[in-house]
Amino acid sequence: MASTGLDVWDKTIQTTNAWLMDVMEETGADRRLAWHALGAVLRTMRDRIPAELAAHLGAQLPLLVRGAFYDQHRPSRRPEDYRSLGEFQERVAAQMRDAKPVDTRLAILGVFQTLERHVEPGQLDKVVDALPFEVRALWPHRPDGGREASREAGRGV
């Protein structure tokens, strides 16, 4: 590992690289595309959940990833109110429009898996619970495999 001479930078570079390796492993993406996917999915989540919850999630992210998470953030804005997985995917795709083409659903799943490995479970549960039912169904840690979310979505909950 190259040294920057500052422990805080060396640590965040090392940690960010571990996160990127996880996204790359899950998606088959190269490093650049993994970085774009990580940022796009995190920002899409951030814009959908309450600001206080987003701040708690942001505190769990490596310093460099936190910078991508907060890029163009406007905390005074109300959370977006979309309810479908399709809308979530559209927002991720819009943020990745300058990257090479990618299967948006696979990118989302890869980032979700990475978050599962690195974010404190209690905090992650709160974030997942704040997302639309169809998006929750993709989370790997849901013991029902998303069936409960699908049933609730079908009832219009």
Side-chain angles (χ1 to χ4, degrees):
M1 176 176 84
S3 174
T4 64
L6 294 170
D7 290 342
V8 67
W9 285 114
D10 292 341
K11 180 166 178 33
T12 195
I13 289 169
Q14 181 180 8
T15 305
T16 299
N17 278 329
W19 282 52
L20 290 175
M21 290 300 292
D22 285 351
V23 174
M24 291 165 56
E25 183 179 301
E26 294 293 332
T27 63
D30 62 25
R31 182 175 299 281
R32 182 178 304 248
L33 189 55
W35 175 254
H36 284 291
L38 183 59
V41 173
L42 287 172
R43 286 187 296 273
T44 301
M45 290 172 52
R46 174 203 72 199
D47 291 344
R48 179 56 172 83
I49 63 178
E52 184 176 341
L53 189 53
H56 287 289
L57 175 61
Q60 301 254 334
L61 305 175
L63 189 58
L64 288 174
V65 176
R66 193 177 311 155
F69 178 73
Y70 283 115
D71 185 34
Q72 300 181 13
H73 183 44
R74 296 172 57 197
S76 60
R77 202 190 242 177
R78 291 184 59 207
E80 294 181 2
D81 194 29
Y82 60 85
R83 294 184 129 333
S84 75
L85 176 58
E87 290 172 293
F88 188 87
Q89 287 179 275
E90 287 171 13
R91 284 166 169 78
V92 170
Q95 290 196 43
M96 294 187 67
R97 68 181 169 274
D98 295 332
K100 65 183 180 183
V102 64
D103 178 336
T104 307
R105 185 181 178 99
L106 185 61
I108 292 167
L109 288 168
V111 172
F112 286 0
Q113 287 282 3
T114 299
L115 290 169
E116 280 292 322
R117 288 187 190 110
H118 298 284
V119 175
E120 192 259 36
Q123 183 62 48
L124 198 55
D125 287 341
K126 293 174 188 175
V127 170
V128 174
D129 288 343
L131 293 170
F133 295 119
E134 290 181 19
V135 177
R136 284 188 215 175
L138 291 181
W139 280 88
H141 78 285
R142 290 293 169 172
D144 65 357
R147 289 185 300 277
E148 178 181 334
S150 297
R151 282 196 304 273
E152 290 174 354
R155 290 193 310 253
V157 177

